[in-house]
Amino acid sequence: EELTSLETWDNGKPYQQSKTVEIPMFARLFRYYAGWADKIHGLTVPADGNYHVQTLHEPIGVAGQIIPGNFPLLMFAWKVGPTLACGNTTVLKT
C-alpha cells in the first residue's frame, strides 16, 4: 500500500493502475532478473585441432542509466535488475 501510494503521488497516475499493474510487475521483473544470477557462467566452445576455446561472461563494471519520468518504477527495474544480476554496479539518473 505504501509503495503504491508513493508511486501514485510521484507520477500522478491512478491509484488502481499503480496497485494492479505497476507494483506487481515491478516485483515480477526483479524476481525474473534475480534468476539470471546463477545462469551466467563461462562456456567451452568446440574448436578444430588441439585448442581450448572458452567464453567468459564477466561483469563490465559501472553501467550508467538514464530513465525518464513516465514509468520510473518499471524503468528502474528494467535497468537496475539486469545490471545487478550480472554483477555490475549502476549509476542512475532520473
Side-chain angles (χ1 to χ4, degrees):
E1 294 294 321
E2 184 177 348
L3 196 53
T4 302
S5 296
L6 289 173
E7 179 68 4
T8 300
W9 291 338
D10 177 47
N11 221 8
K13 62 182 59 174
Y15 183 85
Q16 197 62 27
Q17 180 181 356
S18 294
K19 183 178 182 178
T20 60
V21 177
E22 297 217 16
I23 302 301
M25 189 178 292
F26 175 78
R28 282 194 306 267
L29 280 168
F30 262 96
R31 181 163 292 152
Y32 169 74
Y33 289 129
W36 285 15
D38 65 348
K39 293 168 185 66
I40 300 171
H41 49 80
L43 304 171
T44 303
V45 181
D48 293 335
N50 191 17
Y51 297 102
H52 177 78
V53 180
Q54 187 172 5
T55 303
L56 295 176
H57 299 283
E58 297 176 338
I60 59 171
V62 179
Q65 315 280 353
I66 300 173
I67 59 172
N70 52 353
F71 287 94
L73 197 58
L74 287 179
M75 290 191 182
F76 174 82
W78 292 338
K79 293 176 181 271
V80 173
T83 304
L84 295 177
C86 294
N88 297 297
T89 58
T90 187
V91 175
L92 183 71
K93 180 181 182 326
T94 56

